[in-house]
Amino acid sequence: MSLLNINLDSALSLYALPVLLITALYPQIVKGSLVKKALRDDPNLNTNPRNNIEICKKKGVSEDIIKKMERAQGAHSNGLENWPIYAVTILAANVSGVDQRTTNSLAGGIVVARVIFNWLYINGSNRFLASLRSLTWGAATVMSLTLMVKAANSFNAKVV
């Protein structure tokens, strides 16, 4: 018996759904902490959060910090844009009966790729890291597409 009766043959991949949502939200927390540090004495802090980067630019915050804020915002947006794709894919794989070990492994791979993606996006201030970021995005996308095809195959095998 495994810890909490959870093993690779159970639907562990469903836990990837909230984890992936957290990975989408985390960059916004990073951006918020950078803004808070930069504007700590500003009485209007957080009164217009969608304009915080522009406010920081006007306040003379260093270009490196501004770029990091922008990259964190980009990682956040990308996470929100991709989360529905991952969620539908993982749910479809579970509902259609794709092997749990396969589903769990690919969902886990997507989570790992997204964590690495976030780090590379937020901290990647050169072309090499930007290229690695793109590769991790591609890896997560390929794993998601693999699950989509497996879900379709599993569903179609039951219909026939």
Side-chain angles (χ1 to χ4, degrees), residues 92-103:
N94 277 282
V95 169
S96 68
V98 174
D99 173 70
Q100 285 299 315
R101 286 178 182 258
T102 300
T103 303

Side-chain angles (χ1 to χ4, degrees), residues 46-99:
N46 206 34
T47 59
N48 190 4
R50 291 186 183 248
N51 258 0
N52 279 340
I53 294 175
E54 288 304 314
I55 294 167
C56 286
K57 286 178 182 177
K58 289 177 184 174
K59 296 276 185 176
V61 174
S62 79
E63 188 66 22
D64 288 344
I65 298 297
I66 296 292
K67 286 181 179 180
K68 190 168 189 171
M69 289 176 189
E70 291 171 341
R71 290 191 306 270
Q73 181 61 50
H76 171 65
S77 296
N78 185 279
L80 293 177
E81 292 159 1
N82 284 281
W83 187 84
I85 296 166
Y86 302 139
V88 168
T89 298
I90 291 167
L91 289 171
N94 277 282
V95 169
S96 68
V98 174
D99 173 70

